[in-house]
Amino acid sequence: AYEVPERFWDLVKLGVPFAQKTDGRFRQRHSDFATYRRTMAVPDGSTGRAIAEALARELQRREIPVDQGVMLVDLLSTAGHLSGALGCDRQGNLIRYEAGAVVLATGGVSALYPYQVSTDEMTGDGLAAAIRAGAEIVNVEFHQMGPSILFPLRTGLSAPLYRLKPRFLNGAGQEFLARYLPEGISEEEVFGHKVYPFTISNVSRYLDIAIFSEIQAGRGTGRGTVLCDFTSAADQFRAGRCRHTYTRLKAAGVDLAREPVEVAIAFQCINGGVRMASEHAETTLPGLYAAGEVAGGIRGPDRPGGNSLGECQVFGHRAGVQAALRARERGSLPPDPASRQVLEERLARFSPSQGTQHPSPLMSRLRQVMGQHALVVRHATGLDQALAEIEEIRETLEKSARIDREALFSALELDNALLCARAILEACLRREESRSGHYRTDFPHPDDRHWRKSLVASLQD
């Protein structure tokens, strides 16, 4: 936390145009779960994109080589130390990277779910590769998700929008939230407590559960959504309330003051990941560092809004510095034969075959399974069923999928996603309580006596 201001100034020097007041000071915003205004943003709200663009410009200025369109297949090791990585491009070409240290910054697992508000390539490649290499993972059962506008663009419904008291309608045009509220709880109370992420810590949980349940019961729209109607707040939109969301949607063709939008529960981020075992962002594997969403261990079941950008900058900087020092000291080492053998055995499962099914439909099936059993409402029966179903998907992938050179990228991507899904489902089963965004209907309350702790696991477990 103490390093965030320094890393913030790094971004300012790189040209990120953070919003400023008329007196020249930077404007701080109030974020979800926060007591004070303490986050920074660019004027149009697309802060993550602005940071990525600034970093990309700096990469180009320094002429640092970047291989685009390459996914991480596996990590390579030499005598117990990370010594490189294997990548694969969309044409099925394998690329070997030799290095004195490796930094994982591959993002999360949001592409394992039907709807997500991040980017489509987050299939858990870094998390899966770390698991296979034997690294410890932590708290992968804790996720952030929430009601999100999905069409014509994807954006989470933030706290100020709920203060406008929208109406939620199912596919038949019926309001449904009241049917899910216990006696004595009003819709006004729900909206008053609601921020973006789902949490069981207050009555706002009933909205997420209601949206999820209506869609699961088949009472949503044809696209698996419900409708959110803000038209009663037309005057407030015209007066400037929620200006960023309103103007973005209007530019995309939807006027919140005149028509409803389609909403569903979308996955935002995973709060756990590859466990950082030191303050330098090193994992439990010597020579492997992790930063960003793929990393775990510096938070518990939640993260305050805006924290993820600060974490990326602080631990990205720490991981980069430490990895560079290690690489300078050790130099690049070729991967040892045992590492190559494990890799060859994995790739042999995806050699050209006579199968007929492309891996892409299997990925769609995986998303349906995770969206049904590992999103808002979880139960041992459903989690067990999900584990059985992903094993069926894996068997189909290995026995019936068409895995030629063209489909190798998709097959390896699905293989990574299946491993991450299993790790998540097993962690959800193991934590027999409800806490924050982890809601088990068979264990509906927090259990501090037994479960106020992080869950650490590795492939050996």
Side-chain angles (χ1 to χ4, degrees), residues 86-104:
L86 185 75
C88 179
D89 65 21
R90 291 191 178 276
Q91 288 71 48
N93 300 307
L94 296 176
I95 307 166
R96 194 175 79 182
Y97 301 90
E98 295 180 1
V102 176
V103 178
L104 279 181

Side-chain angles (χ1 to χ4, degrees), residues 39-79:
T39 62
M40 307 291 192
V42 299
D44 68 356
S46 59
T47 312
R49 174 173 293 187
I51 292 173
E53 290 174 349
L55 294 173
R57 288 194 301 268
E58 185 66 7
L59 284 171
Q60 292 174 332
R61 188 186 72 81
R62 298 191 186 192
E63 298 183 344
I64 295 172
V66 176
D67 289 350
Q68 297 195 60
V70 177
M71 70 172 291
L72 175 64
V73 175
D74 253 323
L75 296 167
L76 306 176
S77 63
T78 301

Side-chain angles (χ1 to χ4, degrees), residues 400-418:
S400 305
R402 175 175 62 82
I403 306 174
D404 51 21
R405 186 182 181 88
E406 178 188 354
L408 180 61
F409 187 97
S410 296
L412 291 169
E413 192 174 61
L414 175 59
D415 188 48
N416 283 337
L418 288 166

Side-chain angles (χ1 to χ4, degrees), residues 435-457:
R435 185 179 297 274
S436 186
H438 173 65
Y439 174 49
R440 292 270 306 257
T441 55
D442 46 348
F443 297 95
H445 304 292
D447 181 357
D448 286 353
R449 180 181 175 187
H450 298 102
W451 293 107
R452 194 178 181 184
K453 58 186 177 184
S454 295
L455 293 184
V456 177

Side-chain angles (χ1 to χ4, degrees), residues 1 4-5 8 26-41 303-308 310-311:
V4 170
F8 169 77
F26 288 101
R27 186 182 301 278
Q28 292 178 281
R29 292 185 177 183
H30 197 287
S31 59
D32 291 341
F33 297 133
T35 305
Y36 302 99
R37 294 179 180 272
R38 57 179 188 77
T39 62
M40 307 291 192
R303 68 173 96 199
N307 253 30
S308 55
E311 290 170 15

